[in-house]
Amino acid sequence: MKFTKAEYEFYYTRSYLTDAAGNKKEAIAEALKALTYDKENINYAYQLASLYGKNEEFDKCFKLLEDLMKKLPGNVNVMGNYGWYKLAAGKVKEAAPYCKAAYEGNPGSVAFTVNYGHTFLLTGNLDSARYYYLKTLENCSTPNDYYEGQKRTLIFSLKKDGNEKMWRKWPIGWNNSSMKNTLR
């Protein structure tokens, strides 16, 4: 059976919808179908890498992202995701140069700024972590930036490092002024 571009795109799109519905295994299967039929499509590879990372299948995620970094040298999104998933895998020292490169490539990105801050928090450099978390707040421009970006990844960082007790010290209301007051 010969597949058409529309069919590849269908699987690719369905992988996003399935992931949004919370079925990560099925989302991976859909993205894998798309990439199997068009192995050179960078969007399919990027989607599958992200899904593997979300599912903590880090070896598969890293392989795809490393291939993408070769195809797209200097792409801050690929480097940023690679750094983020290295952090998620507990490989902070390996993550740091990629998080730094992503931040330097797009210092206005909430995700890249907070991830770079995480590299400092997780290595015990609290002054630098505080600096980049404050920069993150400066970059927040929508409510989603607060609730889906910094809060979720900050909770991740504190739990990853075993600092759940520290989490209780952070403000309940995640607004700019309460965060800035806590970080100062």
Side-chain angles (χ1 to χ4, degrees):
M1 181 166 149
K2 186 168 169 74
F3 286 87
T4 66
K5 177 79 171 155
E7 287 170 302
Y8 307 153
E9 289 295 321
F10 173 77
Y11 292 128
Y12 172 67
T13 301
R14 196 160 64 180
S15 73
Y16 276 99
L17 297 173
T18 307
D19 180 44
N23 191 337
K24 292 193 186 333
K25 292 283 187 189
E26 190 176 325
I28 288 171
E30 296 297 335
L32 191 55
K33 285 180 199 174
L35 187 60
T36 299
Y37 299 122
D38 187 355
K39 292 175 178 38
E40 296 304 311
N41 189 303
I42 59 174
N43 293 322
Y44 299 171
Y46 189 79
Q47 168 66 352
L48 183 58
S50 295
L51 290 168
Y52 279 142
K54 287 180 188 179
N55 206 45
E56 297 187 1
E57 294 181 46
F58 296 120
D59 290 340
K60 294 175 184 177
C61 170
F62 297 147
K63 170 76 172 96
L64 287 167
L65 289 174
E66 287 163 3
D67 290 346
L68 284 170
M69 284 190 287
K70 289 175 189 168
K71 291 178 182 177
L72 304 167
N75 183 292
V76 295
N77 292 315
V78 176
M79 289 187 296
N81 265 6
Y82 190 75
W84 166 247
Y85 288 120
K86 285 287 185 176
L87 283 174
K91 299 175 183 288
V92 179
K93 288 184 181 177
E94 291 177 34
Y98 296 97
C99 291
K100 179 181 181 186
Y103 169 75
E104 288 174 346
N106 185 359
S109 166
V110 171
F112 297 159
T113 308
V114 77
N115 289 350
Y116 193 37
H118 293 337
T119 66
F120 292 107
L121 178 70
L122 296 172
T123 56
N125 186 339
L126 300 181
D127 289 337
S128 291
R130 184 178 297 113
Y131 173 83
Y132 286 100
Y133 290 150
L134 284 169
K135 286 292 223 186
T136 299
L137 292 172
E138 292 171 14
N139 291 341
C140 289
S141 60
T142 68
N144 191 51
D145 289 341
Y146 289 99
Y147 297 108
E148 291 302 317
Q150 82 183 42
K151 180 179 178 181
R152 188 178 61 197
T153 59
L154 183 58
I155 292 168
F156 156 82
S157 296
L158 297 174
K159 287 186 177 183
K160 216 44 162 171
D161 195 34
N163 287 324
E164 281 100 333
K165 291 179 189 170
M166 189 175 166
W167 166 242
R168 294 188 192 112
K169 296 178 185 176
W170 289 80
I172 300 301
W174 286 81
N175 62 53
N176 208 331
S177 62
S178 67
M179 281 295 292
K180 283 185 178 177
N181 290 335
T182 300
L183 290 169
R184 289 178 198 236

